Amino acid sequence: MREDWTGSIDLHLDLDPSGGRRAGLERALRDAIRSRRLAPGDVVPSTRALAAELGLARGTVTAAYDQLTAEGYLTAVPGSRTRVAAGPAPGPAAPVPPAAEPSPAAAAHDLLPGRPDASTFPAAAWLRSTRRVLASAPPDVHALGDPRGRPELREALAGYLGRARGVQADPARIVVTSGYAQSLGLLAAVLRDLGTTAFAMEEPGHFFHREIVRRAGLGIVPLPVDERGAHPGPLDRAGAAVLTPAHQYPTGATLRPDRRRAFTAWARQAGATIVEDDYDGEFRYDRQPVGALQGTAPDHVVYGGTASKTLAPAMRLAWLVLPERLVEPFAEAKRLADAHTQSLAQLTLADLIDTHAYDRHVRAARLRYRRRRDLLVATLRERAPHVGVQGIAAGLHALALLPDGGQGEGEIMRRAAFHDLALMPLRDHWQEPDGRPQGLVVGYSTPVGAAYPAALDALCTVLAPV
């Protein structure tokens, strides 16, 4: 292990200024680590020393080190030197790019959908709320609690969801869960036990959610999706339907009023259940957010919300607003699954909502993501005009449709891997992908602010005709 940078190590860093000095430094250091010119455990220079050596601002070097530490390439321990992370380092890129997609942890540029910009987590507001909660929390907060969740959070959610999303939310009908995946899995099992044999699910739709429903032993009835949202035609074979009405995933379509009425009429007539996945309903950019479907049929629609898009996926906080007939069986399923979702985070979120810090954070995030959306659309219009872009009125992603006769998804994904770019192909969202339109589900919320332009540059490079 080499301990001292000065006097014993000379390391050539080939800085490419395209995309910015910080991005160029990050790429050069990643290359040095992957090629083992910097080995696991090696000390890297101080930010002051490297800034002086390369003629960069010290803040640029500090930001690059922070990014590489977050990605797992470096380790930083207070009071000690920053080092290359222990363990096997990634090998150099193969001359022929592999046909596999890069993982987001390893990719230099991450445009995968479904996650917010973690660097904008409202840490200061969360800390203030946590301090208030810890100063006033009753002793029972540290004991096993109600499987439905803390009453403080259910009360706060009832007010917020009614005000911001048009949900008819009685606190007694809200159950807090450890993420939407748990919400859907438990609900599928409850409905199965009550006699449901199949779920209707959007096509294309979220592949992970389909697997959750299948794992509960239920069949899948595809609901075709067009520019008006999901089509209610094939519902006669299903006892429940999972919909994303505000912003269909992945196409971005909004469920039109006539189809909303058709789905709720079916649920009433058939005694069926609609599961409304409102995964990013707060983020609408062309007008006020579309109100929740649940508000028009609260006895037949289960409303599902989450903090994963507004705060962070690691919070593991989600909630269902249930028809009264499903509250007790679902609460029992939650109790048997994991007793209850941890209480301190629930109380902290309740305080954020009650003090309106949550509203302020969502409004700021909406403005920030709209600017990112605008930059994505403008960049693709200028540099990749052959690609069609849709689903941009809301949410945290856009659908980029590939033209017939050009590069297919397979070639795009191989080029993306070669350029260290994480992307999501549309093919994964079809139950039967053969013969379907090809495209990319492009997330624009994940990269930290300084890394976003470089990620868009990599995207345009990958999409360029060959």
Side-chain angles (χ1 to χ4, degrees):
M1 183 186 301
R2 295 171 285 189
E3 291 290 341
D4 181 39
W5 177 276
T6 61
S8 64
I9 297 178
D10 287 326
L11 179 67
H12 174 69
L13 293 177
D14 186 10
L15 298 186
D16 178 2
S18 63
R21 293 184 174 185
R22 172 185 159 185
L25 177 58
E26 290 174 8
R27 286 195 296 269
L29 286 169
R30 285 191 197 95
D31 290 342
I33 294 170
R34 288 170 175 162
S35 64
R36 292 188 176 269
R37 291 187 291 127
L38 280 175
D42 276 353
V43 172
V44 297
S46 68
T47 55
R48 186 187 304 276
L50 188 58
E53 179 73 19
L54 299 177
L56 300 174
R58 187 178 181 188
T60 300
V61 179
T62 299
Y65 277 15
D66 289 344
Q67 179 65 23
L68 293 179
T69 300
E71 294 176 4
Y73 287 91
L74 301 177
T75 57
V77 179
S80 182
R81 301 288 296 274
T82 300
R83 298 176 182 272
V84 177
V96 177
E101 300 162 28
S103 69
H109 311 293
D110 183 0
L111 291 177
L112 291 173
R115 291 163 294 136
D117 179 355
S119 70
T120 63
F121 180 82
W126 187 265
L127 180 59
R128 287 192 294 270
S129 289
T130 300
R131 285 172 172 163
R132 282 192 292 267
V133 164
L134 289 174
S136 60
D140 70 354
V141 74
H142 303 294
L144 291 177
D146 189 333
R148 295 176 299 169
R150 291 292 307 187
E152 297 90 340
L153 178 57
R154 291 188 283 124
E155 187 75 32
L157 284 171
Y160 172 78
L161 294 174
R163 168 171 51 83
R165 301 297 299 122
V167 174
Q168 295 190 38
D170 183 335
R173 292 166 55 182
I174 296 176
V175 178
V176 179
T177 66
S178 302
Y180 178 75
Q182 184 186 59
S183 295
L184 182 59
L186 294 179
L187 183 61
V190 166
L191 292 177
R192 178 202 62 208
D193 292 347
L194 292 174
T196 296
T197 59
F199 269 38
M201 303 188 76
E202 295 167 332
E203 173 77 350
H206 203 301
F207 49 89
F208 183 54
H209 295 169
R210 282 201 300 266
E211 291 308 309
I212 291 173
V213 171
R214 284 196 180 103
R215 194 170 185 84
L218 295 167
I220 305 294
V221 177
L223 290 176
V225 172
D226 58 24
E227 69 279 359
R228 298 167 60 200
H231 194 287
L235 289 170
D236 57 334
R237 295 182 287 132
V242 181
L243 303 175
T244 50
H247 187 232
Q248 199 276 330
Y249 184 84
T251 69
T254 299
L255 190 63
R256 297 297 174 86
D258 59 329
R259 292 192 177 177
R260 290 165 72 101
R261 291 190 292 269
F263 275 109
T264 54
W266 161 75
R268 291 189 181 98
Q269 293 166 6
T273 303
I274 296 172
V275 184
E276 179 176 14
D277 179 3
D278 196 34
Y279 65 104
D280 63 3
E282 293 90 347
F283 299 119
R284 182 87 191 190
Y285 307 123
D286 60 343
R287 53 187 167 91
Q288 287 292 315
V290 177
L293 180 65
Q294 188 267 2
T296 66
D299 291 335
H300 294 278
V301 178
V302 177
Y303 175 89
T306 177
S308 291
K309 307 298 185 291
T310 54
L311 292 174
M315 297 300 304
R316 309 316 302 142
L317 281 175
W319 43 87
L320 292 185
V321 183
L322 296 145
E324 186 174 358
R325 64 186 173 86
L326 294 178
V327 173
E328 288 305 319
F330 187 88
E332 177 64 6
K334 169 66 175 172
R335 184 185 70 82
L336 294 174
D338 62 358
H340 72 135
T341 298
Q342 69 106 341
S343 296
L344 286 176
Q346 291 189 56
L347 291 175
T348 302
L349 179 56
D351 187 84
L352 273 183
I353 294 172
D354 289 339
T355 60
H356 301 296
Y358 186 74
D359 290 78
R360 291 191 293 272
H361 171 71
V362 169
R363 286 197 301 270
R366 187 183 298 131
L367 177 60
R368 185 165 53 249
Y369 293 143
R370 177 174 181 170
R371 289 170 176 164
R372 290 189 174 207
R373 187 276 315 258
D374 291 347
L375 182 58
L376 170 67
V377 173
T379 301
L380 290 178
R381 183 179 295 127
E382 177 184 354
R383 298 181 55 186
H386 58 290
V387 173
V389 183
Q390 67 179 51
I392 60 173
L396 305 179
H397 74 271
L399 179 60
L401 291 172
L402 302 176
D404 294 336
Q407 295 183 89
E409 288 180 12
E411 178 59 25
I412 291 289
M413 296 307 296
R414 283 189 287 272
R415 295 186 70 188
F418 186 72
H419 288 277
D420 219 2
L421 171 65
L423 286 174
M424 177 70 73
L426 180 59
R427 66 175 179 234
D428 292 345
H429 299 80
W430 300 100
Q431 292 196 67
E432 299 292 340
D434 292 344
R436 301 289 193 174
Q438 296 198 39
L440 304 168
V441 186
V442 182
Y444 48 79
S445 56
T446 301
V448 296
Y452 187 51
L456 293 185
D457 184 68
L459 175 64
C460 291
T461 299
V462 166
L463 291 174
V466 293

